[in-house]
Amino acid sequence: MSAELDSLLVRRRRALGSHAEISYDRPVHVSHAEGVWVHTIEGEKLLDVYNNVPHVGHAHPRVVAAIAQQASRIASNTRYLDDNIIRYAERLLASLPGPLDTCLFVNSGSEANDLAWRLAKAHTGFGGALVLEHSYHGITEAVTALSTAVRQAPAPHVEQLRAPPANSASEVHDALNRLGARGFKPAAFFLDSALTSSGIHDPPAEWVQRITRAVHAAGGLIVADEVQIGLGRSGSHLWGFERRGMQPDIVTLGKPIGNGYPLGAVLTSRRIAEPFQKRTGFFSTFGGNPVAAAAGLAVLESEGLMANAQATGTYLRERLQGLALEHPALQVRGCGLLVGVEIADQGGRSGDSLTRTVVNGLRERQILIGAEGPRGNVLKLRPPLPFARPHADQLISALAAELSAARARFDPR
Ligand code: PMP
């Protein structure tokens, strides 16, 4: 590492705390980005196969112009009448099934889930939650308790379900009974429609329906967390919950909807939202401000990205399946452009350490990916949606070379 990088790292550690997470053994010293490319100060051009926030591509000119134009006019809040805010809420609601007719704005996925939790508790009068094993829903105190991927003491009001295919028919009833035995009825079942932190799975509709039927029957609400897979990333549906055959009572949005401008939203029905608004006077200073709404509207103008997620995602998984024939330790999962590649233990090395080696190796081959899952042994491929076949080819060549190099290093027979 260069002396300049070393000194930045020292300053970062001092200013941000020595345990502030940073990606890659050799950190990425960013300069600027466009489309699916991230440029570093050192002059590298990295293929971004990691970031879903720049949904329509990094620094998309239409989004940048919309933000700049609105910021030069007024950056106010939802207490004033503003065309952008209303138009954006209407556009989101028009894309959702009928019962979801009311939109509340916040600033992040965490805030959206925190608000969804408050709404669910207020509407049901209950205080229990069901989530998946190794779930992640954000950083507030309330949603950290719903994030079983975060190391913490077990919360008595939260029960976990195993991710598919392990999850069994009786499991949801058993979990509800355990909650009941501790004095809690379910206010909500929270599901990241992409099951991202649980290891990236693509279960059939029956899997989700079994759970949601039981939760509804017990009086709880269904919250679809679309922070990872919303806006067409699944390739088949605009919203991930549609792919799962879910009928959520509340949908939460974040990350990609502002293409990098902070923006979160909660979409629910009037009968859930209005009593809560009346009782609490809910208002977020920056949530849904006109600049954020302008960014959100500009993101929605993009066409063909879902079809590209389908076509390129299918092609990418086919090529990965090809690699898995040569490397039987790989198992390919996911849908659209949210793809997981699980790496099993092999040659005396654990899957998670192999995964870390591959992630850092690819970074040296100018490709950004991440690691995910309960054991940290799933490669996470989740690029901006303009990601196309030549980009997939570049990724596959680098991954093939990296896997062969890793095998030669650790299994030199
Ligand atoms: N929900 C899910 C499924 C997420 O993956 C994340 C972030 N990784 C969040 C919520 C929280 O979003 P944010 O960090 O933007 O608050």
Side-chain angles (χ1 to χ4, degrees), residues 11-360:
R11 282 171 52 207
R12 180 183 187 275
R13 218 169 285 134
R14 252 187 237 137
L16 305 188
S18 54
H19 295 285
E21 285 194 347
I22 190 159
S23 300
Y24 310 108
D25 291 346
R26 188 164 68 87
V28 177
H29 188 192
V30 290
S31 160
H32 62 283
E34 93 281 346
V36 297
W37 303 104
V38 173
H39 299 263
T40 67
I41 300 284
E42 292 78 20
E44 296 166 295
K45 182 181 175 185
L46 308 172
L47 178 63
D48 189 353
V49 195
Y50 181 77
N51 288 295
N52 67 331
V53 169
H55 185 76
V56 300
H58 285 278
H60 192 289
R62 190 182 56 248
V63 180
V64 172
I67 291 171
Q69 266 171 26
Q70 183 59 43
S72 70
R73 248 184 260 136
I74 184 167
S76 60
N77 63 65
T78 51
R79 283 185 177 146
Y80 296 103
L81 265 183
D82 183 281
D83 288 353
N84 271 354
I85 297 170
I86 297 166
R87 206 145 45 88
Y88 183 52
E90 287 171 346
R91 287 283 303 273
L92 287 177
L93 291 168
S95 73
L96 290 158
L100 301 167
D101 57 9
T102 306
C103 179
L104 308 180
F105 285 114
V106 289
N107 305 284
S108 67
S110 299
E111 286 188 11
N113 285 324
D114 192 271
L115 177 57
W117 177 236
R118 290 177 70 191
L119 287 165
K121 284 199 302 181
H123 183 76
T124 61
F126 302 157
L130 280 189
V131 296
L132 282 202
E133 233 172 44
H134 215 77
S135 57
Y136 186 77
H137 295 290
I139 60 170
T140 71
E141 183 167 5
V143 295
T144 296
L146 307 180
S147 300
T148 50
V150 177
R151 230 176 299 134
Q152 59 187 320
H157 66 287
V158 179
E159 269 296 333
Q160 315 183 34
L161 302 172
R162 282 177 301 166
N167 188 279
S168 70
S170 66
E171 193 163 327
V172 59
H173 295 286
D174 295 345
L176 289 171
N177 287 339
R178 285 196 302 277
L179 267 187
R182 297 201 297 272
F184 292 100
K185 290 183 174 171
F189 167 54
F190 274 71
L191 181 70
D192 160 7
S193 310
L195 290 81
T196 315
S197 54
S198 305
I200 306 178
H201 299 272
D202 188 30
E206 303 82 70
W207 177 82
V208 181
Q209 284 163 355
R210 184 154 28 85
I211 301 169
T212 56
R213 262 198 308 272
V215 173
H216 270 153
L221 302 185
I222 308 301
V223 179
D225 179 339
E226 293 284 326
V227 166
Q228 288 284 350
I229 203 178
L231 278 187
R233 177 166 295 275
S234 75
S236 58
H237 297 82
L238 188 62
W239 304 111
F241 69 80
E242 299 172 301
R243 184 176 176 90
R244 305 277 161 254
M246 279 166 84
Q247 282 153 1
D249 303 288
I250 305 178
V251 173
T252 58
L253 310 181
K255 278 188 196 264
I257 60 171
N259 214 55
Y261 197 94
L263 177 57
V266 174
L267 301 128
T268 186
S269 54
R270 214 168 288 299
R271 72 193 167 91
I272 293 173
E274 285 184 346
F276 178 84
Q277 285 172 314
K278 188 169 173 204
R279 192 166 54 74
T280 64
F282 178 82
F283 166 71
S284 163
T285 302
F286 295 126
N289 72 77
V291 183
L297 279 166
V299 168
L300 293 183
E301 294 310 316
S302 290
E303 286 179 358
L305 290 180
M306 188 162 103
N308 181 60
Q310 178 78 307
T312 309
T314 302
Y315 174 72
L316 174 60
R317 276 192 308 284
E318 279 167 12
R319 300 257 359 234
L320 289 166
Q321 298 288 7
L323 272 185
L325 292 178
E326 285 166 50
H327 299 271
L330 304 185
Q331 191 201 83
V332 182
R333 295 198 290 260
C335 58
L337 281 173
L338 182 43
V339 178
V341 183
E342 182 163 337
I343 304 186
D345 300 346
Q346 56 179 312
R349 293 252 341 232
S350 65
D352 60 313
S353 87
L354 286 163
T355 300
R356 274 196 304 278
T357 302
V358 170
V359 167
N360 282 300

